[in-house]
């Protein structure tokens, strides 16, 4: 990629961990230079508390995030064709994005970011898994858009 797109849509399975983390982190780094949103294949979970905590450590606020699916995004008036780039973070979201964008001219990129849910026994072990996911996202953003 290299050049910063005007608009990016991040997607994962539930829009509760990885894609909202990526949305929040990108907004922090790029402000209003890029229009950023996130979605999930399904919307059956609210924003994850560990995702909120891990992002808060780097100054990214996710408390007000509301999860939504691809379909809900379209129902709210936003279309996939309005984005320059869709970044998928799970195999299911990659399949869904490719299916939905087959008639659109936009980039769909797959970033295999670790799903931290279910990792660790203690609160600190769980939080460390979410930190790893957060740090993977930061690293991938830096590599992709060179900042």
């Amino acid at each position: 990629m290299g050049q910063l797109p005007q608009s990016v849509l991040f997607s994962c399975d539930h829009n509760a961990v990885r894609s909202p983390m990526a949305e929040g982190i990108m907004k922090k780094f790029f402000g209003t230079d890029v229009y950023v949103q996130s979605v999930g294949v399904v919307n059956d979970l609210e924003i994850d508390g560990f995702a909120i905590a891990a992002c808060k450590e780097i100054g990214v606020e996710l408390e007000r995030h509301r999860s939504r699916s691809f379909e809900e995004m379209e129902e709210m008036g936003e279309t996939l064709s309005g984005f320059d780039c869709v970044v998928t973070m799970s195999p299911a979201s990659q399949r869904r994005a490719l299916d939905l964008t087959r008639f659109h001219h936009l980039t769909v990129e797959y970033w295999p970011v670790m799903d931290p849910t279910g990792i660790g026994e203690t609160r600190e072990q769980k939080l460390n898994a979410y930190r790893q996911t957060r740090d993977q996202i930061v690293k991938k953003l830096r590599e992709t858009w060179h900042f």
Side-chain angles (χ1 to χ4, degrees):
M1 282 188 135
Q3 186 175 347
L4 192 62
Q6 290 184 327
S7 57
V8 177
L9 178 67
F10 289 101
S11 68
C12 64
D13 293 341
H14 304 278
N15 194 221
V17 179
R18 292 170 287 181
S19 57
M21 289 174 89
E23 176 187 354
I25 292 166
M26 187 153 186
K27 284 178 176 176
K28 177 177 175 55
F29 289 143
F30 294 102
T32 58
D33 291 344
V34 181
Y35 178 71
V36 185
Q37 292 294 308
S38 65
V39 296
V41 175
V42 294
N43 171 17
D44 59 351
L45 300 172
E46 286 303 316
I47 184 75
D48 186 291
F50 285 107
I52 292 171
C55 283
K56 187 175 263 185
E57 293 177 347
I58 62 167
V60 174
E61 187 273 310
L62 295 180
E63 284 93 353
R64 293 190 313 257
H65 176 80
R66 295 294 166 252
S67 300
R68 64 185 181 160
S69 66
F70 282 102
E71 288 75 20
E72 289 167 324
M73 180 187 78
E74 297 261 346
E75 288 167 10
M76 296 167 139
E78 283 197 88
T79 61
L80 278 174
S81 61
F83 291 92
D84 297 323
C85 174
V86 178
V87 176
T88 63
M89 301 178 143
S90 70
S93 66
Q94 172 74 357
R95 284 189 302 276
R96 187 74 178 124
L98 288 173
D99 183 50
L100 292 170
T101 61
R102 67 183 179 269
F103 301 114
H104 301 289
H105 182 71
L106 64 131
T107 303
V108 177
E109 198 172 299
Y110 178 57
W111 293 1
V113 174
M114 178 183 85
D115 179 359
T117 59
I119 297 175
E121 299 294 319
T122 67
R123 183 184 193 291
E124 193 59 28
Q125 288 171 337
K126 289 178 184 297
L127 192 52
N128 280 334
Y130 282 76
R131 288 175 179 135
Q132 286 178 31
T133 296
R134 175 200 67 204
D135 295 345
Q136 279 183 343
I137 292 167
V138 169
K139 182 176 188 269
K140 191 64 179 164
L141 284 168
R142 284 199 166 112
E143 290 171 355
T144 304
W145 290 300
H146 314 291
F147 67 93

